[in-house]
């Protein structure tokens, strides 16, 4: 059965091959055309697949999944042969540069990018390439000169809501309706503006013929703009027709006792002079009013009465002018709806993207004023901006810090807005540090700028931050700065930002704080910081702030490692400013380090005396520092009593020698 099936299959294949093989000239020509068409389709599919892969690679780079080095290597490979270029390679290069150009064109790689575009300029003039390819290359060159902004917005897939919105707009802007004018079909149906077929405003065929107010001979055009009609099309019908009497400010028929008469009848008596509107009213006097009392009451008012009337009119006019703008502003402010969160995100993203491209502070200020008027949530705006700074490329931290301080100083960002935005950023530091290791340092610099310029308060780092952290993570933490390493680093870096502050590294730098002021700020916020580890202090460059930790660790390591006093003295000369040791408090730090080493070694006899002698004769410590050390009762460093008893004899000898020298002088 298997052999019989195989034979049948072979015969069927032979028949199919015989059917496909052309037998006549005409069939052969058709067969050739089909083959050519199939080859072209395959070529087109391959080309689309190739360009799609290029765009995909570019999008991977934009999502930071590929490095700059890989992209530069791809570009160099495509630009390898300029004299005899491959059109497909050039097209791929153009598509790649269009996709990634705005991100890879950075100051650090400017020389390489300039060289790429020098070669692209040569390719745009290479006559061996098709004009389509050359124009494509020229478009990429123009795109760079235009700061990588596309001339035409590339339309992507639309949401279903956007499709419905576009359809509604198309329907409202189409034929017919009150926007009118319309064509033959509108006239056949009877448009809004009347005619023989009827319509809303009447005409000879209108059902409103019985009312004389709407007769044709009483109609005038009261809006004659160059583009007639609501649709704005040339040649359309006038915007609207209205009866002539309707345009008169005080036509009398509204409140007239003679209500049975039509307005047309009243106009016949007026003869174009405004009807009863122009006649003197009763009680005012005048030649046509009749005599008697009315004639006496028609006398002219005195000069004093005229002045009083004019004064009252001026006062009422000024009061209304003053009240009207305020009422208008209040009504306008109440009528403006607040921006939604989605709209706020779009606005904020557009503003900060523009800023990082141009660094135009005034333009950002104007944009922020606009979204303030629209009641945008500025706390959300700041949160989005800081997130963009941490995650985006070609972002200048210094410019951004200057921007935030400037907006706060202008009063555009209120204190509560800055608090809300920074809280949302600080409570996510754990997640941010995973993707951006420098996030705690950058956030500390921004928050330090705000605190130093009195635009924000350290109080928010207490209960408000703990609450925000719990809402974000769902975990309740008793001591956020004591239990979480990221927040310990943030506290240390905030010390650095507030204390080591100057105009060079802190745009809009406020007053530098002292260590005592920073610790007091944390204390007032309800935060009790643990002593910072020496390795963290050294890693974050805070040695000058926490010298007592840094120098204590060095002295202990040096003494444990068996270094002599000469090596220690050399280190002090290299790393410690001479003015630092002029302070007795700073010398006490060194003595406490020696005391701690003496305690950890088990307080052997004579060790403390030797250490004090070595540091004294090396000009690191002074006799005044020894006296202050003996009198100090607040220090909690262990081994104080044993250390003093060990060195007491030498200290007494030193004091006696110094007193004798003073007497001789």
């Amino acid at each position: 059965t298997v052999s019989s099936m195989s034979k049948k299959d072979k015969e069927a294949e032979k028949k199919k091959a015989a059917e496909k093989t052309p037998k006549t000239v005409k069939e052969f020509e058709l067969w050739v055309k089909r083959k050519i068409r199939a080859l072209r389709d395959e070529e087109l599919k391959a080309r689309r697949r190739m360009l799609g892969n290029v765009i995909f690679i570019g999008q991977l780079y934009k999502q930071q999944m590929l490095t700059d080095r890989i992209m530069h290597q791809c570009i160099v490979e495509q630009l390898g042969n300029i004299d005899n270029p491959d059109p497909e390679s050039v097209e791929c290069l153009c598509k790649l540069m269009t996709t990634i150009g705005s991100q890879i064109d950075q100051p650090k790689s400017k020389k390489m990018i300039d060289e790429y575009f020098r070669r692209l300029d040569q390719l745009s003039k290479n006559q061996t390439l098709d004009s389509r390819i050359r124009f494509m290359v020229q478009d990429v060159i123009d795109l760079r000169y235009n700061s990588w902004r596309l001339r035409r917005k590339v339309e992507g897939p639309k949401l279903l809501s956007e499709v419905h919105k576009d359809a509604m707009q198309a329907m409202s802007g189409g034929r017919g309706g009150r926007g009118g004018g319309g064509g033959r079909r509108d006239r056949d149906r009877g448009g809004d503006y009347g005619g023989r077929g009827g319509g809303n405003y009447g005409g000879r065929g209108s059902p409103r013929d019985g009312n004389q107010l709407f007769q044709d001979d009483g109609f005038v055009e009261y809006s004659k703009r160059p583009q007639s009609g609501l649709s704005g099309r040339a040649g359309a019908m006038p915007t609207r027709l209205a009866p002539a009497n309707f345009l008169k400010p005080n036509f009398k028929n509204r409140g007239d006792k003679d209500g049975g008469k039509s307005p047309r009848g009243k106009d016949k008596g007026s003869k174009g002079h405004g009807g009863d509107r122009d006649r003197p009213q009763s009680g005012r006097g005048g030649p046509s009013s009749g005599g008697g009392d009315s004639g006496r009451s028609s006398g002219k008012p005195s000069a004093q009465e005229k002045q009083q009337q004019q004064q009252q009119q001026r006062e009422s006019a000024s009061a209304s002018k003053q009240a009207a703008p305020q009422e208008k502003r209040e009504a306008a402010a109440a009528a403006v709806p607040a921006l939604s969160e989605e709209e706020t995100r779009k606005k904020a993203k557009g503003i900060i993207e523009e800023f990082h491209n141009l660094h135009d502070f005034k333009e950002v200020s104007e944009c922020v004023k606009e979204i303030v008027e629209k009641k945008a949530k500025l706390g959300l705006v700041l949160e989005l901006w800081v997130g963009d700074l941490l995650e985006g490329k070609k972002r200048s931290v210094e410019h951004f810090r200057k921007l935030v301080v400037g907006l706060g100083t202008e009063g555009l960002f209120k204190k509560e807005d800055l608090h809300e935005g920074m809280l949302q950023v600080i409570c996510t530091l754990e997640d941010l540090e995973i993707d951006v290791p420098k996030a705690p340092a950058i956030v500390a610099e921004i928050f330090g700028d705000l605190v130093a310029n009195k635009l924000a308060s350290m109080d928010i780092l207490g209960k408000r931050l703990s609450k925000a952290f719990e809402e974000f993570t769902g975990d309740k933490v008793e001591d956020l700065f004591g239990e979480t390493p990221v927040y310990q680093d943030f506290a240390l870096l905030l010390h650095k930002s507030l204390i080591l502050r100057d105009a060079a590294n802190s745009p809009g730098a406020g007053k530098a704080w002292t260590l005592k002021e920073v610790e007091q700020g944390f204390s007032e916020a309800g935060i009790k910081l643990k002593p910072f580890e020496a390795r963290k202090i050294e890693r974050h460059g805070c040695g000058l702030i926490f010298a007592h930790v840094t120098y204590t660790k060095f002295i202990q390591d040096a003494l444990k490692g068996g270094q002599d006093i000469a090596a220690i003295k050399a280190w002090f000369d290299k790393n410690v400013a001479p003015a630092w040791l002029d302070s007795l408090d700073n010398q006490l730090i060194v003595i406490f380090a020696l005391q701690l080493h003496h305690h950890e070694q088990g307080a052997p006899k004579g060790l403390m005396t030797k250490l004090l002698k070595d540091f004294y004769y090396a000009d690191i410590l002074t006799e005044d520092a020894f006296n202050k050390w003996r009198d100090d009762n607040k220090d909690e460093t262990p081994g104080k009593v044993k250390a003093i008893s060990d060195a007491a004899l030498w200290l007494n000898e030193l004091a006696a020698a110094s007193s004798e020298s003073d007497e001789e002088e």
Side-chain angles (χ1 to χ4, degrees):
T1 56
V2 175
S3 60
S4 62
M5 287 294 294
S6 61
K7 287 180 180 179
K8 289 180 180 180
D9 292 339
K10 289 180 180 179
E11 290 176 358
E13 289 177 0
K14 287 181 180 180
K15 287 181 180 180
K16 287 180 181 179
E19 291 174 359
K20 290 181 180 178
T21 304
K23 297 179 180 178
T24 63
V25 175
K26 190 173 183 180
E27 290 179 356
F28 179 76
E29 290 176 353
L30 290 173
W31 180 80
V32 170
K33 289 181 180 179
R34 291 195 193 101
K35 284 290 184 182
I36 293 173
R37 191 181 301 114
L39 289 174
R40 287 178 178 172
D41 290 342
E42 289 296 327
E43 184 180 355
L44 182 61
K45 288 180 182 179
R47 181 171 167 272
R48 287 177 177 173
R49 194 180 301 114
M50 173 186 68
L51 295 177
N53 290 336
V54 170
I55 296 173
F56 178 66
I57 292 170
Q59 293 296 333
L60 289 178
Y61 170 72
K62 291 177 73 173
Q63 299 300 323
Q64 301 181 16
M65 299 176 71
L66 296 177
T67 62
D68 291 351
R69 185 178 60 82
I70 294 175
M71 303 316 297
H72 282 296
Q73 186 175 355
C74 293
I75 296 171
V76 170
E77 287 181 0
Q78 302 302 323
L79 284 171
N81 190 355
I82 299 179
D83 298 329
N84 188 20
D86 180 19
E88 292 181 353
S89 298
V90 177
E91 188 172 0
C92 289
L93 175 63
C94 293
K95 188 65 69 174
L96 183 63
M97 292 301 293
T98 304
T99 306
I100 68 171
S102 59
Q103 284 188 269
I104 202 170
D105 191 3
Q106 301 178 21
K108 64 180 181 181
S109 57
K110 185 176 183 302
K111 292 183 179 179
M112 297 178 69
I113 300 295
D114 289 343
E115 177 60 25
Y116 298 158
F117 277 86
R118 188 186 65 80
R119 296 194 175 197
L120 283 172
D121 185 60
Q122 294 178 7
L123 287 174
S124 67
K125 300 171 184 176
N126 193 329
Q127 297 300 321
T128 60
L129 292 172
D130 294 340
S131 58
R132 182 181 69 87
I133 302 295
R134 285 187 279 114
F135 289 146
M136 190 181 296
V137 174
Q138 189 61 48
D139 286 343
V140 175
I141 296 172
D142 294 342
L143 186 61
R144 191 195 186 199
Y145 287 142
N146 197 32
S147 300
W148 299 103
R149 296 177 188 170
L150 294 172
R151 294 179 181 175
R152 299 177 300 276
K153 183 179 178 182
V154 180
E155 293 290 343
K158 291 185 178 181
L159 297 174
L160 190 59
S161 59
E162 295 175 343
V163 175
H164 288 311
K165 185 177 179 181
D166 292 344
M168 294 298 293
Q169 289 178 351
M171 290 172 64
S172 63
R175 55 179 174 77
R178 296 184 69 88
R184 180 177 179 182
R185 298 175 68 180
D186 295 320
R187 293 194 297 272
D188 292 341
R189 285 200 301 266
D192 289 339
Y193 300 106
R196 298 188 183 275
N200 291 345
Y201 289 101
R204 288 190 174 86
S206 170
R208 301 184 182 181
D209 278 342
N211 190 344
Q212 294 180 357
L213 183 63
F214 293 94
Q215 290 296 332
D216 281 12
D217 56 350
F219 274 62
V220 295
E221 297 179 13
Y222 70 88
S223 179
K224 293 185 177 180
R225 286 174 279 186
Q227 68 281 11
S228 299
L230 298 178
S231 65
R233 296 194 299 270
M237 294 186 68
T239 303
R240 187 168 294 175
L241 300 179
N245 291 339
F246 190 78
L247 297 177
K248 296 180 180 179
N250 293 319
F251 74 96
K252 193 78 179 286
N253 64 328
R254 293 188 175 180
D256 205 331
K257 293 180 181 179
D258 302 330
K261 295 183 180 181
S262 69
R264 190 181 178 101
K266 285 197 177 272
D267 283 349
K268 287 181 180 179
S270 66
K271 296 292 182 183
H273 295 287
D276 294 338
R277 173 172 60 88
D278 296 326
R279 297 175 187 170
Q281 298 179 4
S282 61
R284 295 280 182 180
S288 62
S289 300
D293 295 336
S294 63
R296 286 192 296 272
S297 65
S298 65
K300 295 183 179 179
S302 64
Q304 186 176 0
E305 290 177 350
K306 282 185 176 181
Q307 290 179 357
Q308 290 178 356
Q309 290 176 0
Q310 291 173 358
Q311 181 66 20
Q312 290 175 359
Q313 290 175 357
R314 283 195 296 268
E315 290 177 357
S316 61
S318 63
S320 62
K321 285 181 180 178
Q322 292 175 0
Q326 180 66 21
E327 292 174 357
K328 287 182 180 178
R329 284 195 295 268
E330 292 176 356
V336 175
L339 280 179
S340 65
E341 184 173 329
E342 183 180 357
E343 291 173 333
T344 303
R345 288 178 180 274
K346 289 181 180 178
K347 294 279 186 183
K349 185 176 180 181
I351 293 171
I352 202 62
E353 189 71 31
E354 185 79 10
F355 170 74
H356 284 302
N357 285 332
L358 304 176
H359 296 149
D360 191 340
F361 295 93
K362 291 183 179 179
E363 181 66 23
V364 175
S365 179
E366 293 299 322
C367 292
V368 171
K369 287 178 183 177
E370 291 180 7
I371 63 174
V372 167
E373 292 176 356
K374 296 179 181 178
K375 300 180 182 179
K377 295 179 180 178
L378 296 184
L380 175 61
V381 172
L382 180 60
E383 177 190 352
L384 294 171
W385 283 3
V386 176
D388 175 83
L389 176 71
L390 296 174
E391 297 175 1
K393 287 190 174 183
K394 294 180 69 176
R395 301 292 189 255
S396 170
V397 177
E398 303 301 328
H399 282 99
F400 182 80
R401 290 167 60 189
K402 184 178 178 182
L403 173 68
V404 174
V405 172
L407 293 174
T409 305
E410 287 183 41
L412 296 175
F413 276 68
K414 306 298 182 185
K415 196 169 188 177
E416 186 55 34
D417 298 329
L418 296 170
H419 282 171
E420 186 64 28
M422 293 307 300
L423 268 177
Q424 296 304 317
V425 173
I426 295 172
C427 74
T428 61
L429 273 180
E430 277 191 311
D431 291 346
L432 290 173
E433 191 191 31
I434 295 172
D435 299 326
V436 187
K438 291 184 178 181
I442 296 173
V443 175
E445 288 175 348
I446 297 170
F447 188 65
D449 290 338
L450 297 175
V451 173
N453 287 278
K454 298 181 180 180
L455 300 172
S457 172
M458 291 180 65
D459 293 341
I460 66 169
L461 300 179
K463 293 182 179 179
R464 287 188 64 179
L465 178 59
S466 299
K467 184 179 179 181
F469 182 81
E470 290 173 12
E471 291 176 353
F472 178 72
T473 61
D475 300 330
K476 189 172 182 179
V477 180
E478 296 295 335
D479 184 8
L480 186 62
F481 286 88
E483 299 177 15
T484 315
V486 175
Y487 290 96
Q488 292 174 0
D489 291 344
F490 175 74
L492 178 60
L493 291 163
L494 186 56
H495 277 77
K496 180 181 179 181
S497 175
L498 289 170
I499 296 171
L500 302 181
R501 173 167 294 276
D502 54 52
N505 60 14
S506 299
K511 180 184 176 183
W513 289 30
T514 63
L515 178 59
K516 186 176 181 180
E517 289 174 334
V518 178
E519 291 176 347
Q520 184 179 353
F522 276 102
S523 178
E524 291 175 353
I527 302 169
K528 188 176 181 180
L529 294 174
K530 295 180 179 179
F532 296 111
E533 299 177 5
R535 59 182 182 83
K536 286 191 174 183
I537 293 172
E538 185 177 354
R539 187 180 73 196
H540 293 303
C542 300
L544 292 176
I545 302 172
F546 301 97
H548 57 289
V549 179
T550 306
Y551 298 162
T552 299
K553 182 177 183 301
F554 166 74
I555 291 170
Q556 286 182 309
D557 292 345
L559 294 175
K560 287 178 182 178
Q563 294 186 27
D564 57 6
I565 188 62
I568 296 174
K569 170 65 175 172
W571 185 89
F572 267 85
D573 291 341
K574 181 180 179 181
N575 297 283
V576 182
W580 188 85
L581 287 171
D582 292 342
S583 170
L584 294 180
D585 291 335
N586 293 339
Q587 291 185 45
L588 276 179
I589 294 173
V590 179
I591 297 176
F592 290 142
L594 299 177
Q595 174 187 318
L596 183 61
H597 177 71
H598 177 261
H599 173 74
E600 291 177 348
Q601 296 299 317
K605 188 176 181 180
L607 177 60
M608 192 64 189
T609 303
K610 181 179 183 304
L611 292 173
L612 293 180
K613 278 184 177 181
D614 290 342
F615 277 76
Y616 175 74
Y617 291 120
D619 292 331
I620 297 175
L621 300 176
T622 62
E623 185 180 351
D624 291 337
F626 296 150
N627 294 332
K628 188 170 184 176
W629 171 59
R630 284 204 292 188
D631 297 337
D632 181 70
N633 296 321
K634 297 180 181 179
D635 180 56
E636 298 179 356
T637 306
K640 179 74 173 285
V641 175
K642 290 183 179 181
I644 289 179
S645 61
D646 185 89
L649 181 61
W650 180 75
L651 292 175
N652 292 334
E653 292 176 356
L654 184 63
S658 61
S659 62
E660 288 178 1
S661 62
D662 291 340
E663 289 176 0
E664 290 176 0
E665 292 178 357

